[in-house]
């Protein structure tokens, strides 16, 4: 999911593992292996005497952790599981204490085990990680024995220099070291960014690939982020960088690995798709009409050389284990493990010692739930407790009260209750003439990172919204902008939700009270926004009139596929989105009169 990039902080995502099994698919492909040596090689050592011709390599993977060290709260912390009778059950999942246990349990009895991730380990993180520029998440990933990850778009939230610090270590250039006498060590696994180069030199920003080795077994990993990363990250985050085509880049480095004798190759791709069902145990290879997977990863998978044996993907926060045909027509495994460490994928790669390649017809894969009914990993509990003590003075401050859950990230509806609260907070804070004179506010859905949950997360009491909880909803600390846009530009912006780059996967803006329109999903492209129904405070939008529009700096820069919003003039920069959100909670709630979830009646949806 695209999300607002973050100005002052970055976040990463954590890992998930545990019980529940998902889909199994057979896979076909040829793999090269890689250059830079690497491998924790979890498990036992080499045997004596005759080696069998094939060895099963366990590939454990996850994606989009986004610094969720603690179990995600509310509906954002559930995974859907289809039961034998066809009903769907929500299972609470995630949290690195459980992810660590899941991965460690899965590795038992697998002497050849490698753990890889599909990007967005950090960025848009909850306060526990985001407050410390995601050092806690990197530390947790080191403890989870992650072997390799691709970069995702969120790894660029704070720019290339900060990404290099996360890789190499060193204390923060502004805030210094967070713990007395302790210097941040950085990641002990490589971040791969094969399709990201420096504009000035044309050279790769980070390693393009790595080769995991154990007892003569070699598997190459190539890592890429989506080519469209600059469209979903603030300009400062990608300054001086160039992002290249995913397929061309992977094919180039697969040839290089092949020449070096690495015939087994896995691509780690921070781009994904949408399966026909949101249940993690959905059989993605079902032959029925409307079954399977759609989205950008399908065309990418079809274009990647057969030298690559499996694709670990991410970005869309979906769960799937699918086969997509490679260019030679043979099926190849494509997997994604939801987000926030709620699932992990266990893939078996049968390695042929004679050919140094994967026996593609033997590839099997399944997603497993990182359940919360298993023992917690004590080292992860200690890590969380240590950082929570440092965060507590800021995190535990009450900001307001709510009467029930107000869903944001966990809502699948176009108009989300929490989206309405956020847009209303932005309008209220920026409506005064000296604050910008805003008449309407827009919020991008990807920037809403969590739900507001009524149940207490700590000792604050049910219904209390703490600073840490508010930060988890809006972790980017984007500065707000108020700009002039014509009515015609406003209409175009609303149409861009469902057309252009957003046609295949609509991004429905959350709108402040007073703006209403009809979204007709039976139509296609821009026509899905019924122009004649767009009204502000009951009056039709006048194409020639100028309106004052509030939005975060990411949207005001045309981010998320909204070039019309980037055409604003007469800009006034206001407070941060988080400050406005907290001010609104304080103004509209008390312990005796908590804020109730608002009605979702601004967008009329026809399906």
């Amino acid at each position: 999911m695209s999300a607002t990039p973050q100005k002052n902080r970055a976040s990463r995502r954590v890992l998930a593992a545990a019980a529940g099994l998902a889909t199994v698919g057979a896979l076909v492909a040829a793999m090269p292996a890689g250059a830079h040596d690497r491998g924790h090689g979890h498990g036992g050592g080499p045997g004596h005497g005759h080696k069998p011709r094939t060895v099963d390599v366990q590939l454990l993977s996850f994606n989009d952790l986004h610094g969720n060290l603690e179990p995600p709260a509310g509906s954002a912390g559930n995974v859907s599981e289809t039961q034998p009778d066809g009903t769907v059950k929500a299972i609470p999942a995630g949290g690195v204490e459980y992810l660590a246990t899941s991965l460690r349990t899965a590795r038992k009895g697998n002497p050849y085990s490698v753990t890889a991730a599909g990007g967005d380990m950090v960025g848009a993180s909850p306060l526990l990680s985001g407050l410390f520029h995601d050092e806690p998440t990197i530390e947790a990933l080191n403890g989870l024995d992650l072997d390799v990850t691709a970069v995702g778009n969120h790894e660029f939230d704070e720019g290339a220099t900060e990404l290099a610090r996360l890789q190499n270590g060193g204390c923060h250039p502004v805030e210094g070291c967070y713990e007395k006498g302790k210097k941040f060590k950085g990641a002990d696994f490589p971040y791969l960014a094969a399709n990201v180069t420096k504009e000035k030199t044309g050279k790769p920003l980070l390693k393009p690939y790595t080769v995991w080795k154990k007892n003569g077994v070699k598997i190459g990993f190539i890592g890429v982020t989506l080519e469209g990363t600059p469209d979903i990250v603030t300009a400062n985050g990608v300054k001086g960088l160039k992002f290249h085509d995913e397929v061309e880049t992977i094919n180039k480095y697969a040839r290089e690995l092949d020449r070096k004798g690495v015939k087994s190759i896995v691509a780690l791709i921070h781009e994904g798709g949408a399966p026909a069902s949101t249940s993690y145990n959905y059989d993605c290879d079902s032959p029925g009409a409307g079954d399977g997977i759609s989205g950008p990863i399908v065309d990418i998978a079809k274009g990647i050389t057969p030298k690559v044996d499996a694709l670990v993907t991410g970005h869309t926060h979906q769960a799937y284990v699918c086969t997509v045909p490679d260019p030679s027509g043979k099926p190849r495994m494509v997997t994604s493990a939801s987000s926030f460490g709620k699932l992990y994928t266990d893939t078996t790669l049968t390695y042929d010692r004679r050919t140094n390649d994967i026996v593609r017809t033997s590839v099997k894969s399944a997603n497993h739930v990182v359940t919360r009914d298993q023992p917690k990993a004590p080292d992860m509990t200690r890590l969380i407790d240590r950082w929570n003590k440092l965060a507590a003075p800021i995190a535990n401050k009450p900001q307001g009260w709510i009467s029930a859950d107000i869903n944001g990230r966990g809502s699948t509806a176009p108009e989300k209750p929490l989206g309405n609260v956020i847009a209303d907070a932005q309008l209220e804070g920026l409506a005064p003439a000296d604050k910008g004179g805003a008449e309407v506010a827009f919020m991008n859905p990807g920037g809403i990172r969590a739900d507001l949950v009524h149940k207490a997360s700590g000792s604050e009491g049910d219904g209390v919204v703490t600073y840490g909880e508010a930060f988890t909803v809006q972790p980017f600390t984007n500065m707000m902008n108020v700009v002039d846009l014509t009515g015609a530009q406003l209409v175009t912006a609303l149409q861009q939700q469902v057309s252009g780059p957003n046609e295949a996967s609509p991004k429905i803006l959350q709108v402040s009270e007073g703006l209403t329109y009809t979204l007709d999903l039976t139509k296609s492209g821009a026509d899905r926004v019924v122009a004649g129904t767009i009204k502000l405070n009951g009056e039709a939008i006048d194409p020639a009139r100028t309106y004052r529009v509030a939005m975060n700096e990411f949207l005001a820069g045309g981010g998320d596929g909204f070039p019309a919003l980037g055409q604003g003039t007469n800009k006034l920069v206001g407070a941060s989105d988080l400050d406005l959100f907290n001010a609104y909670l304080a103004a509209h709630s008390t312990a005796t009169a908590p804020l109730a979830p608002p009605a979702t009646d601004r967008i009329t949806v026809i399906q």
Side-chain angles (χ1 to χ4, degrees):
M1 310 284 191
S2 83
T4 330
Q6 171 180 352
K7 198 169 175 199
N8 304 326
R9 321 172 201 281
S11 321
R12 318 312 191 233
R13 313 183 182 194
V14 187
L15 329 169
L21 176 120
T23 49
V24 175
L27 153 59
V28 185
M31 288 197 185
H36 325 288
D37 261 1
R38 158 127 195 120
H40 292 126
H42 315 296
H48 297 286
H50 178 71
K51 285 183 179 175
R53 175 165 172 176
T54 62
V55 57
D56 281 348
V57 177
Q58 178 188 56
L59 170 61
L60 300 175
S61 57
F62 56 92
N63 50 277
D64 296 277
L65 182 60
H66 289 284
N68 279 262
L69 301 180
E70 296 175 294
S75 55
N78 293 336
V79 293
S80 298
E81 180 182 74
T82 300
Q83 305 300 300
D85 64 359
T87 58
V88 177
K89 181 181 175 186
I91 302 174
V96 290
E97 294 161 297
Y98 303 114
L99 182 57
T101 299
S102 292
L103 294 175
R104 290 164 187 171
T105 303
R107 288 175 190 141
K108 283 176 185 166
N110 290 284
Y112 293 85
S113 183
V114 56
T115 303
D120 276 7
M121 293 296 99
V122 296
S125 306
L127 187 81
L128 176 60
S129 187
L131 189 64
F132 305 107
H133 296 274
D134 284 306
E135 290 181 20
T137 296
I138 297 297
E139 189 182 323
L141 292 170
N142 288 343
L144 287 170
D145 283 334
L146 182 64
D147 288 298
V148 58
T149 184
V151 293
N153 51 290
H154 281 280
E155 265 80 15
F156 294 93
D157 282 349
E158 291 192 46
T161 304
E162 174 63 4
L163 174 56
R165 186 183 78 88
L166 291 176
Q167 176 72 86
N168 301 319
C171 296
H172 192 269
V174 177
E175 295 174 26
C177 300
Y178 294 111
E179 294 178 288
K180 205 171 181 181
K182 271 194 185 179
K183 184 182 170 188
F184 175 57
K185 291 176 183 172
D188 66 11
F189 51 89
Y191 260 112
L192 304 181
N195 65 333
V196 186
T197 57
K198 298 173 189 173
E199 275 179 356
K200 280 184 182 170
T201 64
K203 290 183 176 171
L205 176 69
L206 296 168
K207 283 182 182 180
Y209 60 82
T210 190
V211 180
W212 178 86
K213 296 180 180 180
K214 183 168 183 186
N215 301 339
V217 173
K218 294 187 293 185
I219 298 180
F221 288 88
I222 303 168
V224 298
T225 185
L226 69 155
E227 186 182 4
T229 291
D231 302 327
I232 52 176
V233 172
T234 49
N236 280 344
V238 293
K239 199 173 179 183
L241 302 176
K242 205 163 180 193
F243 292 77
H244 302 272
D245 180 85
E246 304 95 338
V247 174
E248 288 173 16
T249 303
I250 291 168
N251 289 351
K252 169 186 165 184
Y253 287 111
R255 287 193 297 272
E256 189 172 311
L257 284 167
D258 190 42
R259 284 197 302 271
K260 293 184 174 187
V262 180
K263 306 295 182 184
S264 298
I265 301 174
V266 175
L268 308 175
I269 307 171
H270 191 69
E271 178 60 291
S277 164
T278 55
S279 290
Y280 82 90
N281 58 340
Y282 164 65
D283 181 359
C284 200
D285 292 336
S286 304
D291 273 329
I293 185 172
S294 59
I297 198 62
V298 178
D299 286 339
I300 290 172
K302 286 177 178 174
I304 290 174
T305 172
K307 291 179 191 299
V308 174
D309 298 299
L311 313 182
V312 171
T313 72
H315 188 55
T316 56
H317 292 203
Q318 302 295 308
Y320 48 84
V321 175
C322 306
T323 58
V324 177
D326 70 15
S328 71
K330 293 176 179 173
R332 175 168 52 197
M333 196 64 75
V334 180
T335 68
S336 174
S338 184
S339 64
F340 302 170
K342 293 181 288 189
L343 298 176
Y344 71 95
T345 312
D346 189 337
T347 302
T348 301
L349 302 171
T350 301
Y351 184 92
D352 186 326
R353 290 184 182 275
R354 275 191 214 166
T355 63
N356 296 327
D357 208 344
I358 300 301
V359 182
R360 299 182 309 176
T361 49
S362 298
V363 178
K364 292 183 177 61
S365 190
N367 274 328
H368 301 267
V369 182
V370 176
T371 58
R372 300 183 196 167
D373 58 2
Q374 59 185 322
K376 295 178 178 182
D379 57 328
M380 293 296 152
T381 303
R382 288 193 297 273
L383 181 151
I384 288 169
D385 289 348
R386 212 179 81 236
W387 288 102
N388 262 332
K389 279 194 186 108
L390 288 174
I394 295 170
N396 297 339
K397 252 181 130 177
Q399 303 297 312
W401 291 263
I402 55 174
S403 64
D405 288 0
I406 305 180
N407 284 346
R409 194 74 185 183
S411 168
T412 55
E415 181 184 350
K416 306 171 193 309
L418 189 51
N420 287 356
V421 173
I422 291 169
D424 288 351
Q426 294 175 354
L427 178 62
E428 182 170 295
L430 301 172
D434 62 336
K435 305 289 185 191
E439 300 169 81
V440 64
F442 291 137
M443 174 63 191
N444 56 312
I448 306 169
R449 305 307 299 185
D451 302 332
L452 276 186
V453 179
H454 185 262
K455 186 174 172 21
S457 59
S459 58
E460 76 276 11
D462 289 352
V464 178
V465 179
T466 64
Y467 184 88
E469 289 164 341
F471 180 96
T472 298
V473 169
Q474 292 212 270
F476 296 107
T477 320
N478 270 315
M479 302 313 290
M480 292 300 300
N481 290 182
V482 186
V483 299
D484 284 350
L485 287 172
T486 65
Q489 288 169 323
L490 268 187
V491 172
T492 299
L494 290 172
Q495 290 172 331
Q496 286 169 349
Q497 300 175 110
V498 289
S499 62
N502 293 331
E503 179 156 7
S505 182
K507 291 193 178 82
I508 305 303
L509 295 165
Q510 306 299 289
V511 300
S512 55
E513 191 170 15
L515 187 77
T516 56
Y517 69 94
T518 296
L519 184 66
D520 187 347
L521 297 178
T522 66
K523 295 180 176 172
S524 61
D527 291 340
R528 286 183 276 191
V529 171
V530 185
T533 65
I534 305 171
K535 293 181 179 178
L536 183 59
N537 301 321
E539 291 184 14
I541 294 287
D542 177 354
R545 196 197 130 187
T546 296
Y547 295 84
R548 292 291 283 165
V549 183
M551 63 193 114
N552 60 48
E553 61 189 336
F554 173 60
L555 278 179
D560 258 359
F562 290 99
L565 296 180
Q567 295 167 358
T569 56
N570 193 19
K571 178 169 79 173
L572 183 141
V573 177
S576 75
D577 50 8
L578 181 61
D579 286 346
L580 291 182
F581 185 48
N582 283 330
Y584 186 85
L585 290 170
H588 290 271
S589 68
T590 63
T592 53
L595 181 70
T600 49
D601 53 5
R602 300 170 192 183
I603 305 171
T604 302
V605 182
I606 300 171
Q607 285 180 310

